[in-house]
Amino acid sequence: MRTALCAELGIEHPVVGFTPSEHVAAAISRNGGLGVLGCVRFNDADELDAVLDWMDSNTGGRPYGVDVVMPSTVPTEGAPDDLTELIPPQHREFVDRTLRQLGVPELAEGERAGDGVLGWLHSVARSHVEVALRHPVSLIANALGSPPPDVIGQAHEHGLRVAALAGTAKHAQRHVDKGVDIVVAQGHEAGGHTGEIASMVLVPEVVDAVGDRVPVLAAGGIGSGRQVAAALALGASGAWTGSCWLTTSEYAMTTGDGAVQTALLGARSTDTVRTRIYTGKPARLLRTRWTEAWQQEDAPEPLPMPLQNLLVSEAHQRLTRAGDPDVVSMPIGQVVGRLNDVQPVSDVLAKMLREADETFERLAKIR
Ligand SMILES: Cc1cc2nc3c(=O)[nH]c(=O)nc-3n(C[C@H](O)[C@H](O)[C@H](O)COP(=O)(O)O)c2cc1C
């Protein structure tokens, strides 16, 4: 299965895998797809630099990409300490009360509460771009809007392709008008930040809007070969995937956090919820006792980005430490219902490609 995207990105298969794990990203690239490493978790640019050094030695010389988050509506910039002053005390009380009710232990004595995710502040995301440009990265993707014009210009000067996620045809047109090279049409069923239009409706709309100018990748709800084939049938040049890599053995190597995989393996496709509680913008998460607490009548409205994540950042640390699958806080798409065992990346990709080929053969017999 080869499309024009394969030649454009120098990859064997038109499957791009977004992942927060360098182990997963490198394995996707080594196996002929394009691994795209999510950078938002790196508050420290030097740490990202070291991880990209590791990627450079572990992708077997194959192309890989990075993903940064530069929201088009710029969240308040400032030191975390200043920003946290903007968090209302009632919100903090709700979080403390909920964690107590869920039986989530305090941090260990002497353990420092982290700063939360700061990667969506433009200053931090720009430091990610600067680091990425020092490595042999082939693609830089942006979530939550078009990257600023100077970032697109810098990437092009270094020979990188620029991709951006779009939840509507209008977003896609705006991206292409600003110089974006690849549009990722991401449907409602996707994990993480997501819009309101389902992939089945969105992908052909985006293809019709911009497909004559740039390649369009379909995202949201793709975890199998039949879904990859469907993406191509809808006019996409390839698939952009995220959720299906979270139950790989390589993902377990990055987090060492068994509770998340246990929770994902047991979840059905109805066990997700689109909510603002993770970052302040709508994102699809696994439904757990933590997300349900935020749906109770006494729960406050989530705060805007970036305050909401600062509010819940220590809670996320504690929920992770708790090691309890019933309370994890984890972005995941509706394909979670089909993620029922832990497999290496190579097996997930091979099965996807085999099933896509079988689908094309089956469809070729239909007239
Ligand atoms: C755990 C997780 C974290 C994500 N974080 C980001 C991110 O930081 N930047 C981004 O562009 N997309 C992010 N996404 C969305 C993915 O890039 C991708 O569009 C989405 O997972 C595709 O839908 P699927 O989950 O149905 O495969 C995330 C998705 C998941 C599951």
Side-chain angles (χ1 to χ4, degrees):
M1 181 183 34
R2 288 185 70 82
T3 67
L5 184 83
C6 295
E8 178 154 350
L9 293 175
I11 53 179
E12 274 176 61
H13 317 298
V15 176
V16 180
F18 166 90
T19 169
S21 156
E22 62 273 23
H23 295 281
V24 176
I28 295 170
S29 286
R30 279 198 311 275
N31 284 281
L34 187 80
V36 173
L37 179 72
C39 297
V40 76
R41 73 179 163 95
F42 295 95
N43 288 355
D44 175 1
D46 290 341
E47 196 194 331
L48 174 63
D49 203 18
V51 166
L52 294 188
D53 278 342
W54 183 90
M55 291 280 293
D56 297 342
S57 319
N58 286 279
T59 41
R62 304 285 185 97
Y64 72 91
V66 296
D67 177 282
V68 299
V69 182
M70 291 188 164
S72 52
T73 44
V74 184
T76 325
E77 287 280 344
D81 289 348
D82 303 336
L83 291 175
T84 49
E85 283 168 18
L86 302 174
I87 295 174
Q90 303 88 303
H91 279 73
R92 290 196 182 287
E93 282 154 24
F94 171 78
V95 169
D96 290 344
R97 187 168 70 244
T98 302
L99 291 172
R100 264 197 315 277
Q101 283 165 356
L102 296 177
V104 176
E106 304 271 342
L107 291 181
E109 209 170 309
E111 190 177 5
R112 197 180 85 79
D115 291 332
V117 178
L118 301 177
W120 29 67
L121 298 177
H122 276 222
S123 50
V124 179
R126 278 176 182 280
S127 74
H128 297 157
V129 173
E130 272 166 35
V131 169
L133 293 178
R134 296 203 293 267
H135 292 265
V137 169
S138 330
L139 173 124
I140 189 156
N142 189 53
L144 300 177
S146 311
D150 63 302
V151 170
I152 297 180
Q154 251 184 320
H156 285 165
E157 271 166 33
H158 284 76
L160 273 71
R161 297 283 196 287
V162 178
L165 276 70
T168 65
K170 206 166 145 197
H171 289 160
Q173 261 154 348
R174 208 178 300 148
H175 290 332
V176 177
D177 290 345
K178 290 187 175 167
V180 163
D181 308 299
I182 296 173
V183 168
V184 180
Q186 195 215 30
H188 180 69
E189 52 272 67
H193 291 123
T194 184
E196 290 179 347
I197 309 174
S199 297
M200 186 73 136
V201 173
L202 178 70
V203 175
E205 279 185 9
V206 171
V207 169
D208 288 352
V210 299
D212 57 341
R213 293 198 278 163
V214 297
V216 174
L217 298 182
I222 302 176
S224 73
R226 275 176 289 168
Q227 288 157 335
V228 172
L232 299 188
L234 293 174
S237 304
W240 176 284
T241 52
S243 293
C244 65
W245 309 108
L246 295 172
T247 46
T248 56
S249 22
E250 287 86 346
Y251 184 73
M253 282 163 67
T254 310
T255 63
D257 169 15
V260 166
Q261 283 193 333
T262 304
L264 298 181
L265 294 172
R268 295 158 301 174
S269 48
T270 46
D271 292 333
T272 72
V273 57
R274 185 170 171 269
T275 167
R276 294 202 300 113
I277 67 170
Y278 199 74
T279 66
K281 290 187 186 283
R284 186 172 301 286
L285 308 183
L286 187 68
R287 186 197 306 278
T288 62
R289 292 175 65 213
W290 168 247
T291 63
E292 280 168 356
W294 282 88
Q295 289 174 320
Q296 304 297 321
E297 261 177 23
D298 66 332
E301 269 299 298
L303 299 169
M305 184 181 257
L307 298 182
Q308 178 66 16
N309 190 264
L310 293 175
L311 167 69
V312 294
S313 89
E314 187 181 331
H316 283 172
Q317 245 176 305
R318 288 173 57 186
L319 291 163
T320 304
R321 296 282 187 284
D324 175 358
D326 290 342
V327 299
V328 298
S329 177
M330 186 64 197
I332 190 73
Q334 292 177 339
V335 288
V336 69
R338 303 295 295 271
L339 305 179
N340 299 323
D341 46 11
V342 175
Q343 292 177 11
V345 164
S346 55
D347 287 6
V348 175
L349 190 57
K351 187 172 172 210
M352 200 183 265
L353 297 170
R354 201 169 50 242
E355 192 184 285
D357 279 343
E358 286 164 7
T359 306
F360 295 132
E361 279 169 26
R362 181 166 52 81
L363 294 180
K365 293 183 192 139
I366 300 173
R367 341 186 27 236

